[in-house]
Amino acid sequence: MAPPARAGAAAATQGTVEDARALAANAASLEALRATLGAYNGCSLKFSAKSLVFGDGNPNADVMFIGEAPGRDEDLQGVPFVGRAGQLLDKMMAAIHLDRSSSYITNILPWRPPGNRKPSLDEQALMQPFIHRHIELVNPKVLVFLGGTSAQQLLNSKDGIMRLRGRWRSYAIGGQDRPHREIPAMSTLHPAFLLRTPAQKRAAWQDLLEVAAKLKEFQS
Ligand code: URA
C-alpha cells in the first residue's frame, strides 16, 4: 500500500497567493515589508535558507535591479548580489556610472533555493505579491530585470530572455486606492549567465546603454 500523502506537512509551509497578497499590500514601508517577510512562514524556502535577503542599495534611487534569488554567498551574508555574479553586476553598473548608492538591488525571491536550483513556478507565484509591493514601495523611475526568471515572472511572459531583453516594456504599479503608474522596464542578461557566456556581454552592454539613456531622460 502506498504511504499516506504528507499533505499536512506541505500545507503547513505553503501559504496561498491570496494571503501573500493581503500581507504584502498591508506593508506601508520597506521596513514593514521586511518585517512581514521575516514573520512569513508560507514559503518552505525560508526553512532551508540561512538568511532573509531583502535588498541592498539606496531605496530612493531612480533605478531598481531585480534578480532571481540569493545564492550561497548572498544567503551567508544576507545581502543580494555579493558573490561572483554580484561583482560582475557591480562592474556592469559602474559602466553606466551607477553603484549601490545610486541603485537599489533585490531579487524576486528573498530566500536561497536549496542547492541554487531555479525557484519553482509555485514558489515564484507565491512570492510575487511581495516583490510587487517591494517595487511599489521603492517606486523607481526605471526597472532592470536581470535574467529570464525575473523577466518572465515580472512581465508575465513565457518568452525566453533572448526575446525579452533589449526592449522597453512597462511594469504597472498602483491601482485601487493607490496611484497607477507604468514604470519602464528593461530586461537584460543575468550576470551569472554572462560569467559563463562572456560573448553575450555585448548584448548586455546594449541594454545597459538603454538604461543609462532612459535615466538621463528622467534627469533632464
Ligand atoms: N543571483 C541572483 O539572481 N541574485 C543574487 O542575489 C545573487 C545571484
Side-chain angles (χ1 to χ4, degrees):
M1 205 174 77
R6 296 185 63 241
T13 56
Q14 191 64 40
T16 65
V17 177
E18 290 70 31
D19 285 350
R21 205 173 283 136
L23 284 168
N26 266 336
S29 64
L30 285 174
E31 294 69 32
L33 184 65
R34 184 197 284 263
T36 299
L37 279 166
Y40 182 64
N41 288 336
C43 178
S44 54
L45 291 178
K46 177 182 189 175
F47 302 102
S48 52
K50 289 190 171 56
S51 323
L52 169 72
V53 180
F54 184 72
D56 191 32
N58 182 351
N60 299 312
D62 284 352
V63 57
M64 180 171 185
F65 289 85
I66 307 181
E68 178 176 317
R72 184 173 164 275
D73 295 309
E74 291 76 20
D75 187 38
L76 288 173
Q77 296 186 41
V79 180
F81 283 102
V82 289
R84 278 187 71 223
Q87 286 159 18
L88 179 55
L89 177 61
D90 285 333
K91 285 189 191 154
M92 290 162 70
M93 292 193 306
I96 53 168
H97 310 293
L98 293 172
D99 60 20
R100 292 185 191 225
S101 69
S102 54
S103 316
Y104 187 81
I105 304 174
T106 189
N107 285 301
I108 59 167
L109 286 150
W111 295 293
R112 179 194 187 208
N116 287 355
R117 66 163 168 76
K118 186 173 162 170
S120 70
L121 291 178
D122 281 351
E123 288 161 348
Q124 292 181 45
L126 182 63
M127 298 309 291
Q128 207 268 348
F130 295 105
I131 184 60
H132 179 73
R133 187 74 187 127
H134 208 145
I135 296 170
E136 286 188 332
L137 289 167
V138 174
N139 195 17
K141 296 198 168 72
V142 174
L143 282 162
V144 182
F145 302 149
L146 297 166
T149 308
S150 163
Q152 287 174 338
Q153 176 64 24
L154 294 169
L155 296 173
N156 192 24
S157 171
K158 289 195 164 67
D159 286 347
I161 187 64
M162 290 304 178
R163 284 184 78 91
L164 293 174
R165 62 150 289 272
R167 276 192 298 140
W168 286 104
R169 305 280 292 263
S170 69
Y171 184 87
I173 58 169
Q176 288 184 346
D177 52 343
R178 297 194 169 103
H180 175 91
R181 199 160 83 77
E182 300 276 337
I183 306 178
M186 173 60 64
S187 303
T188 191
L189 303 169
H190 194 288
F193 172 77
L194 294 174
L195 286 172
R196 296 190 302 272
T197 324
Q200 292 292 342
K201 283 186 181 172
R202 275 172 83 96
W205 175 235
Q206 294 303 318
D207 304 340
L208 289 170
L209 289 177
E210 286 285 335
V211 172
K214 185 67 79 183
L215 285 169
K216 213 164 169 190
E217 273 175 36
F218 283 111
Q219 280 149 16
S220 54

